[in-house]
Amino acid sequence: MEYEIGGDELVSTAVVRAVSAIEGREPCFLRPLADVVDPAVLDTLFDPRYDGTPRTGGRLSFVYNDCYITIDNGEYLTLQLLEDRFCDERDP
């Protein structure tokens, strides 16, 4: 699943929303994101620079709630359920 992060949406919020959507569960029933990564640090990694120019080229991947998540440039999330990811790696 791909998810485009809104211009005024925090990256940490986008992660929780996207995982909630792919798992079909309300965000309040997910494991806290802070158990995996500090949400404030995650947001800061993709914040604009001090002079207001956007950061470019950043990429971060991690596992949260049985999903493999990749954040590209603070603009896009790619989510894959771990069970699907491992099946794909075994298939030729």
Side-chain angles (χ1 to χ4, degrees):
M1 170 187 177
E2 292 186 9
Y3 181 94
E4 187 171 352
I5 301 170
D8 59 346
E9 184 176 28
L10 296 173
V11 173
S12 60
T13 301
V15 168
V16 173
R17 284 181 180 163
V19 171
S20 172
I22 200 169
E23 290 192 1
R25 298 188 321 173
E26 291 295 319
C28 61
F29 294 111
L30 298 177
R31 175 181 177 190
L33 181 60
D35 286 355
V36 177
V37 63
D38 184 327
V41 172
L42 180 61
D43 295 334
T44 302
L45 282 172
F46 295 102
D47 276 350
R49 295 185 171 136
Y50 289 108
D51 64 0
T53 59
R55 295 185 192 271
T56 57
R59 175 179 266 192
L60 178 69
S61 297
F62 59 95
V63 174
Y64 169 60
N65 253 60
D66 296 326
C67 293
Y68 185 80
I69 299 166
T70 300
I71 303 166
D72 285 305
N73 216 24
E75 297 174 338
Y76 301 97
L77 290 172
T78 304
L79 292 90
Q80 189 173 22
L81 292 173
L82 287 179
E83 61 189 36
D84 294 343
R85 181 176 168 78
F86 291 127
C87 289
D88 289 348
E89 289 177 359
R90 284 184 262 155
D91 291 339

